[in-house]
Amino acid sequence: MPDVNRGNRPLSPFMIGPYYRPQLTSVTSILTRITGNALIVAALMIVWWLLAASTGPEYFAFANGFVTSWFGDLVMFLSVWALWYHTLAGIRHLIWDNAKMLEIDKAEMLGWMVIIGSGVLTVFSVVVLW
Amino acid sequence: MAFLTDRKRATGWGAAKSGTEHFWAMKKSSVALLILIPFFVFTFGGILGSSFEEVQAYYARPFPAIIAALTLIVGFKHFNDGFQVLVEDYVHGIWEKILILGMTCISYGAAAVGVFAIAKMAL
């Protein structure tokens, strides 16, 4: 196929930019990807904390001091929200994968459920674990 | 065609031929995490902030140790599969391969370190 146009084809416009207004469905979808990938920070901190706990008291004191510092607390708090958000958004995807609730009003209702539900679960977790 | 399931009809198509398997792998790990994550949040969250001795004793118990190990194994696999899709969407060329390979090393490495640490405390 020598005459096939490779690399110079028009692309459909990216979702972020002048072509689309932000919508509840697109914003909640972007947040799903951001929360999922951002959880690597807390995940690596937890692995480090576990390694320190299995190593000895001195190293544990160092790692535990960092993970439970104000910075560590902030990362963990944001990560609890990210984890619940990503979990609820994941349930939404499992529903959509079965071609259910794809109508705009139902899809937007699921979006609000993910936003409100993640907030409620975060507050619940913090209250229980404080 | 009526004898084939939708998934069977989708398998092996697309540019990479493996998209259906990737999708199905993430679906399996997501359902597993749906069960594991609530248990992990309230076991790990409960012991975080305790003393060295309390943490040792806690992860010597089977339930918190098994939940934590399973969550790390399934969670890092799910993370790595998801990160691969992120990279495939936005990064192309040599950096696409470097990022996917690098994060695969980090994901499996971190899961192995975590499981080793838990096993050391549990046994």
Side-chain angles (χ1 to χ4, degrees), chain B:
Chain B
M1 290 302 269
F3 296 105
L4 296 175
T5 62
D6 290 342
R7 177 175 176 260
K8 183 68 183 176
R9 287 197 294 115
T11 300
W13 292 92
K17 316 293 179 200
S18 58
T20 311
E21 291 305 323
H22 191 109
F23 168 81
W24 180 238
M26 290 206 73
K27 199 151 158 156
K28 282 188 288 186
S29 54
S30 69
V31 172
L33 288 166
L34 217 49
I35 301 161
L36 289 167
I37 285 297
F39 283 120
F40 180 73
V41 166
F42 291 104
T43 52
F44 172 78
I47 198 64
L48 179 65
S50 304
S51 71
F52 178 74
E53 289 73 21
E54 285 169 332
V55 172
Q56 295 279 314
Y58 191 68
Y59 280 110
R61 286 166 51 189
F63 186 75
I66 291 167
I67 287 291
L70 277 176
T71 305
L72 289 178
I73 293 167
V74 182
F76 272 111
K77 175 71 167 65
H78 185 79
F79 171 81
N80 196 48
D81 285 344
F83 182 80
Q84 183 183 329
V85 179
L86 170 78
V87 171
E88 286 168 351
D89 278 357
Y90 302 128
V91 187
H92 304 295
I94 187 70
W95 276 103
E96 182 177 2
K97 295 178 181 68
I98 291 172
L99 285 171
I100 291 171
L101 284 171
M103 193 53 92
T104 305
C105 294
I106 292 172
S107 297
Y108 281 83
V113 169
V115 170
F116 168 81
I118 294 161
K120 200 175 164 192
M121 287 188 280
L123 299 175

Side-chain angles (χ1 to χ4, degrees), chain A residues 9-117:
Chain A
R9 292 166 294 190
L11 297 169
S12 59
F14 188 54
M15 59 191 158
I16 301 168
Y19 302 102
Y20 298 108
R21 272 198 297 270
Q23 298 164 56
L24 183 65
T25 42
S26 67
V27 172
T28 49
S29 173
I30 293 163
L31 270 175
T32 307
R33 176 165 275 186
I34 292 173
T35 51
N37 284 284
L39 279 166
I40 188 66
V41 178
L44 291 178
M45 271 169 68
I46 289 169
V47 166
W48 180 48
W49 184 87
L50 286 166
L51 180 67
S54 75
T55 302
E58 291 86 25
Y59 193 45
F60 178 74
F62 173 60
N64 191 53
F66 180 79
V67 175
T68 59
S69 68
W70 70 266
F71 179 75
D73 279 349
L74 182 68
V75 171
M76 286 298 164
F77 175 75
L78 292 174
S79 297
V80 167
W81 172 75
L83 191 61
W84 288 131
Y85 183 94
H86 195 81
T87 301
L88 293 179
I91 296 172
R92 186 172 71 145
H93 270 288
L94 292 175
I95 294 168
W96 281 343
D97 287 345
N98 293 286
K100 302 254 165 49
M101 303 191 78
L102 286 163
E103 300 82 2
I104 291 172
D105 57 329
K106 287 177 182 165
E108 295 204 329
M109 185 189 75
L110 286 179
W112 283 117
M113 284 172 76
V114 170
I115 293 168
I116 296 166

